[in-house]
Amino acid sequence: HPFVRSSLLAARPRTIAYVSCNVQSLVRDLQGLLTGFPRYRLVRVHAFDMFPQTAHVELLALLERA
């Protein structure tokens, strides 16, 4: 939700750990965090296969304030 992104940017945390089960929503939200003010940089993305034998993958993105 756009309110969450604007609240995060206003709070200016040093790091953000973003967990997502949907790669499209992760990409959409990262675009706002990587180009907003304050700007964050993507440090790492890691996929977790929490549900073997299915197509579902959880993603963890770590961001740091630039």
Side-chain angles (χ1 to χ4, degrees), residues 1-2 4 6 10 17-18 20-21 23 28 32-33 39 43 46-49 54 57 63 65:
H1 191 276
V4 174
S6 63
Y18 186 115
S20 178
C21 62
V23 69
R28 179 198 64 221
L33 292 169
R39 184 168 300 196
V43 175
H46 189 82
F48 294 90
D49 187 5
T54 70
V57 176
L63 297 99
R65 193 171 61 219

Side-chain angles (χ1 to χ4, degrees), residues 6-22:
S6 63
S7 296
L8 275 172
L9 293 174
R12 298 186 55 168
R14 188 180 321 242
T15 59
I16 298 173
Y18 186 115
V19 179
S20 178
C21 62
N22 184 322

